[in-house]
Amino acid sequence: MTTKDTDAGTEDTRTLAELRAASEAAEEAARKAKAPLLERAVKEAMASTKYGHLSAVAREAGIASQYLRDLIEKEHPGWLDQAAEEREAAKAAASKGRKAARAA
């Protein structure tokens, strides 16, 4: 605490146990409030396998992309690998289509 806080008479007189209890209650409330955000972020991220979609969802939700990937992998094991395979297959098909168009 700074001298200014003490001088202004704003010093917190709660005990450490009281402060800890208040802190733990706030943490629990924050976890409960964040749960629907994380659930929606997972659902929206899995709505598309398009490159960059997951990162865009994470950015919009205000969470790290890696954290969102970890949540998806925990709740839907293998989905990230499947999405990568789908992106690669689409990329290969598009490349094949361009080559065929040039040959014609």
Side-chain angles (χ1 to χ4, degrees):
M1 224 175 267
T2 66
T3 307
K4 183 177 181 179
D5 291 337
T6 308
D7 291 345
T10 60
E11 186 173 346
D12 198 331
T13 58
R14 295 179 288 178
T15 66
L16 286 176
E18 291 169 331
L19 290 168
R20 186 184 77 228
S23 173
E24 289 171 352
E27 285 178 21
E28 182 60 27
R31 263 193 294 288
K32 286 180 180 178
K34 196 169 190 178
L37 168 70
L38 298 177
E39 289 172 16
R40 175 69 64 85
V42 167
K43 184 178 179 179
E44 289 192 19
M46 293 179 65
S48 172
T49 60
K50 185 177 174 185
Y51 183 81
H53 179 72
L54 186 144
S55 296
V57 170
R59 210 173 13 262
E60 185 177 346
I63 59 177
S65 295
Q66 187 58 52
Y67 181 52
L68 182 54
R69 285 183 187 91
D70 291 345
L71 289 172
I72 292 170
E73 190 59 33
K74 180 180 176 185
E75 295 177 25
H76 305 277
W79 185 86
L80 293 170
D81 292 333
Q82 178 187 343
E85 289 172 8
E86 287 179 20
R87 279 192 306 276
E88 288 301 316
K91 187 176 173 183
S95 177
K96 201 179 255 190
R98 283 192 298 265
K99 287 179 184 177
R102 278 187 251 158

